[in-house]
């Protein structure tokens, strides 16, 4: 047996084992479908049924394989079952020190006309509206960035019959994950998490969290005389000191950039929830405006490394973005039909 045959045999064995775990509790036909899809997507590095079918190399006409796969896919929506199995596989790997990043994303379909429930999405790279589908992904990572644990991924449309809002989708996803993982880990979310309902969902479930604030958010904080004053987020730095400095090495498309930042921490409350106080880390250096990170974490002391740990937690959230990029580039996710 040559090296290629040995590698292929190991790959098939791993794919069969993994598909067996994911399809546990499903019918025999659906279990076979899951196995074929996992093998076909990995072998072809593509999600189009034609390429998946081609990689299976069945001794029948290609169109017959495609028709069977499409027929079985249309018979049952097992995506929720798959997500529950993924969470179950990952829950024992989530420690208190890990970051659980939840990140809304999108699939762009600018030229599609007949796909069902195409909805409006925001194209961040182009800075304008587009059409496609929304994504919601949860990925856990450690602060050393050498361990990644996928937990959840769902594509959905705002035109679906049961759709309520993006906020409800995020809180429902959090609920599904913590049903298995409990209160372990620190949740991190971008400005999409700057929402009273999401923040309250974190606190009511006793979850540790870090979320980036929108700069137009109104807060309550203490001025230098100890009085409580209202302030808009983009002006918070006038009431706080930024005594700490750090350097961050950012690698983007193989190019390394050194970013010098200054940061500090300030006690604040949301304007419409004046009795609940949080910590906000204020960071300058990433752009024209300061970055504000709201959290319910309490540093052990005011040493720079303890405060910077909150910054590290949020930066680890970028691993979720990298997962999106990897899936889209490696498996042509936006070629979905």
């Amino acid at each position: 047996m040559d090296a290629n045959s040995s590698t292929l045999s190991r790959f098939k064995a791993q794919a069969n084992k993994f598909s067996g775990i994911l399809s546990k509790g499903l019918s025999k036909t659906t279990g076979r479908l899951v196995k074929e899809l996992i093998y076909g997507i990995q072998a072809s590095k593509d999600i189009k049924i034609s390429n998946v079918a081609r990689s299976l190399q069945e001794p029948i006409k290609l169109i017959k394989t495609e028709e069977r796969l499409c027929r079985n896919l249309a018979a049952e929506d097992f995506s929720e079952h798959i997500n529950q199995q993924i969470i179950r596989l990952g829950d024992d790997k989530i420690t208190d020190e890990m970051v659980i990043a939840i990140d809304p994303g999108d699939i762009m379909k600018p030229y599609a006309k007949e796909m069902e429930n195409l909805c409006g999405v925001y194209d961040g790279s182009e800075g304008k509206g587009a059409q496609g589908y929304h994504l919601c992904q949860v990925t856990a990572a450690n602060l050393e960035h050498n361990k990644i644990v996928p937990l959840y991924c769902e594509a959905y449309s705002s035109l679906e019959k049961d759709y309520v809002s993006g906020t409800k989708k995020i809180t429902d996803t959090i609920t599904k994950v913590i049903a298995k993982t409990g209160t372990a880990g620190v949740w991190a979310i971008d400005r999409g998490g700057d929402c009273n309902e999401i923040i309250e969902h974190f606190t009511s479930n006793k979850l540790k969290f870090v979320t980036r604030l929108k700069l137009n958010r109104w807060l309550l904080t203490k001025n230098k005389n100890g009085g409580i004053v209202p302030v808009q987020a983009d002006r918070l730095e006038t009431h706080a000191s930024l005594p700490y400095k750090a350097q961050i090495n950012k690698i983007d498309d193989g190019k390394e950039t050194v970013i010098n930042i200054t940061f500090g921490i300030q006690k604040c409350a949301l304007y419409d929830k004046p009795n609940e106080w949080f910590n906000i880390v204020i960071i300058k250096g990433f752009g024209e405006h300061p970055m504000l990170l709201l959290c319910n974490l309490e540093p052990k002391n005011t040493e720079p490394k303890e405060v910077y740990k909150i910054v590290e937690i949020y930066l680890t959230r970028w691993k979720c973005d990298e997962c999106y990029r990897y899936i889209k580039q490696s498996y042509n996710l936006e070629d979905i039909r």
Side-chain angles (χ1 to χ4, degrees):
M1 180 181 293
D2 60 24
N4 289 336
S5 298
S6 177
T7 300
L8 182 60
S9 297
R10 287 199 302 270
F11 166 64
K12 284 184 174 180
Q14 290 174 343
N16 287 341
K17 180 180 178 181
F18 184 57
S19 62
I21 294 171
L22 291 189
S23 58
K24 185 178 181 181
L26 296 175
S27 67
K28 184 176 180 180
T29 300
T30 306
R32 177 190 174 188
L33 174 65
V34 171
K35 180 174 74 171
E36 291 176 335
L37 290 175
I38 288 175
Y39 175 81
I41 290 171
Q42 287 291 334
S44 64
K45 297 295 181 183
D46 196 71
I47 50 87
K48 292 191 288 293
I49 288 294
S50 57
N51 287 335
V52 170
R54 191 171 286 109
S55 69
L56 295 178
Q57 298 181 344
E58 294 186 327
I60 58 177
K61 289 183 178 180
L62 180 63
I63 188 63
K64 295 299 182 182
T65 302
E66 292 180 14
E67 287 174 351
R68 187 190 76 248
L69 293 175
C70 289
R71 184 174 63 251
N72 291 339
L73 272 170
E76 179 184 0
D77 181 4
F78 51 84
S79 54
E80 186 64 27
H81 176 91
I82 296 293
N83 271 320
Q84 288 299 323
Q85 293 301 317
I86 293 294
I87 297 171
R88 185 181 64 81
L89 284 173
D91 69 339
D92 62 343
K93 301 176 179 65
I94 308 302
T95 66
D96 286 338
E97 296 300 313
M98 292 191 77
V99 177
I100 305 174
I102 180 167
D103 193 21
D106 49 67
I107 298 173
M108 298 296 175
K109 300 300 298 181
Y111 306 113
K113 301 295 182 185
E114 301 298 331
M115 292 180 67
E116 61 182 345
N117 290 331
L118 279 172
C119 63
V121 296
Y122 181 73
D123 187 349
S125 59
E126 296 292 333
K128 61 181 182 180
Q131 67 172 4
Y133 299 104
H134 300 285
L135 287 172
C136 188
Q137 177 175 281
V138 180
T139 306
N142 58 2
L143 293 179
E144 292 76 26
H145 296 186
N146 57 15
K147 184 177 183 180
I148 306 293
V149 182
L151 292 172
Y152 190 93
C153 190
E154 178 185 4
Y156 64 94
S157 168
S158 56
L159 299 181
E160 291 173 3
K161 182 178 63 174
D162 299 328
Y163 178 81
V164 177
S165 67
T167 297
K168 181 71 163 54
K169 180 63 69 173
I170 290 173
T171 55
D172 285 349
T173 300
I174 294 169
T175 299
K176 291 174 183 177
V177 174
I178 65 176
K180 295 287 187 183
T181 62
T183 58
V186 182
W187 286 79
I189 186 169
D190 202 0
R191 281 169 288 201
D194 182 9
C195 168
N196 285 358
E197 290 86 348
I198 295 175
I199 294 171
E200 187 174 338
H201 195 70
F202 283 134
T203 56
S204 64
N205 286 285
K206 297 180 173 55
L207 301 174
K208 295 173 287 186
F209 74 92
V210 176
T211 184
R212 185 175 176 181
L213 288 181
K214 298 171 184 173
L215 295 180
N216 60 357
R217 157 80 79 166
W218 279 90
L219 305 164
L220 295 175
T221 191
K222 293 183 179 180
N223 60 20
K224 294 175 182 178
N225 297 322
I228 297 176
V229 294
V231 60
Q232 202 165 21
D234 65 344
R235 300 289 299 164
L236 182 61
E237 62 179 297
T238 61
H239 297 284
S241 60
L242 308 180
Y244 310 129
K245 296 181 180 180
Q247 277 191 342
I248 294 175
N249 296 321
K250 183 180 180 182
I251 300 176
D252 194 7
D253 293 330
K255 183 179 179 182
E256 185 173 350
T257 306
V258 177
I259 302 173
N260 294 296
I261 64 170
T262 57
F263 60 100
I265 191 167
Q266 180 82 355
K267 283 283 186 183
C268 293
L270 304 180
Y271 188 79
D272 44 1
K273 289 183 174 291
N275 297 321
E276 191 171 10
W277 288 74
F278 299 94
N279 281 316
I280 292 184
V281 177
I282 308 155
I283 310 147
K284 295 190 71 174
F286 285 116
E288 180 182 352
H289 300 287
M291 178 188 288
L292 305 179
L293 305 179
L294 176 85
C295 67
N296 59 354
L297 305 176
E298 288 291 342
K300 296 176 184 177
N301 52 56
T302 56
E303 290 295 315
K305 66 177 183 179
E306 287 296 322
V307 179
Y308 184 71
K309 187 176 180 181
I310 297 172
V311 182
E312 281 189 306
I313 288 169
Y314 180 77
L315 296 181
T316 301
R317 188 201 66 83
W318 288 348
K319 281 292 170 185
C320 196
D321 286 337
E322 291 180 11
C323 287
Y324 274 140
R325 186 184 307 175
Y326 177 80
I327 293 171
K328 287 182 177 180
Q329 291 178 352
S330 299
Y331 299 101
N332 298 320
L333 181 62
E334 293 191 318
D335 280 354
I336 190 171
R337 300 288 190 265

